[in-house]
Every structure is written in structure tokens, then in C-alpha cells.
Amino acid sequence: MILVEKELVFNLSVVPNSKDFAIVSFDRQKNLLKIKAKSKPQKGNANKEIEQKTKELFKAKTRIISGLKSRHKKLLVEKTIEFENLLKNL
């Protein structure tokens, strides 16, 4: 079995302290996800929520790699796939 590591980086524009968590839109040209986070931007709570919800959404390991104290962030999505499964998707 051969494992293939895939990484994606998304630009994020975050609106914290929203009514519910939601991914509002995706701009392909800018590779930008607009996200509303329910948590307040205090003590990293909004960042933790974003990492957890995107982990569930992408079914992959996610982490914020820049912009920890900003509304503009970069999110790294890491996924390991079996090579055989990768070929099935082509």
C-alpha cells in the first residue's frame, strides 16, 4: 500500500461572534473561504472552532498556519490517501 500526502491551503475571511457557524462562500480565483464563526475572538476560541468544524467538513487534519490574531487567515488541510483510492478518483 502506497500512501500519498496531499496538502491544500485556503485563505480565510472570518466573521467571529456570529449566530451560527457557516461557510458563506468560496471564491475560486482568490482561493478564499468566507466563514462565520459562532465563537468570540478571545483566547483563540474562534480559531479552535474553525479548525474543528473544517476538520469535520474536509474529513482531514486542519490547522491555521497564519493570521491567528487576524480576521484574514490561512488554513492548511492535510490528508493522507491510499494511492489505489487516488487512482479510482481520476
Side-chain angles (χ1 to χ4, degrees):
M1 174 178 18
I2 300 170
L3 298 177
V4 178
E5 292 285 329
K6 291 185 81 170
E7 293 183 349
L8 295 170
V9 176
F10 290 101
N11 296 312
L12 303 180
S13 176
V14 179
V15 178
N17 204 22
S18 298
K19 186 176 178 180
D20 290 311
F21 181 88
I23 295 181
V24 181
S25 65
F26 176 63
D27 183 338
R28 281 186 155 212
Q29 290 179 332
K30 296 179 183 177
N31 192 34
L32 177 70
L33 279 172
K34 291 185 181 178
I35 294 179
K36 288 187 177 182
K38 191 173 182 178
S39 301
K40 293 184 179 183
Q42 297 170 342
K43 299 180 184 176
N45 290 334
N47 291 336
K48 290 175 193 169
E49 178 188 13
I50 291 165
E51 288 178 340
Q52 180 61 38
K53 297 289 187 178
T54 55
K55 177 182 176 181
E56 293 169 11
L57 175 71
F58 293 117
K59 294 180 176 80
K61 188 174 165 184
T62 62
R63 65 186 164 103
I64 295 172
I65 56 174
S66 72
L68 291 173
K69 295 188 177 198
S70 170
R71 290 180 183 227
H72 301 284
K73 305 174 184 301
K74 289 193 183 286
L75 179 77
L76 175 67
V77 180
E78 301 174 279
K79 189 152 187 161
T80 303
I81 343 177
E82 293 179 23
F83 187 69
E84 292 79 17
N85 290 338
L86 180 66
L87 292 177
K88 289 178 188 176
N89 293 330
L90 295 178

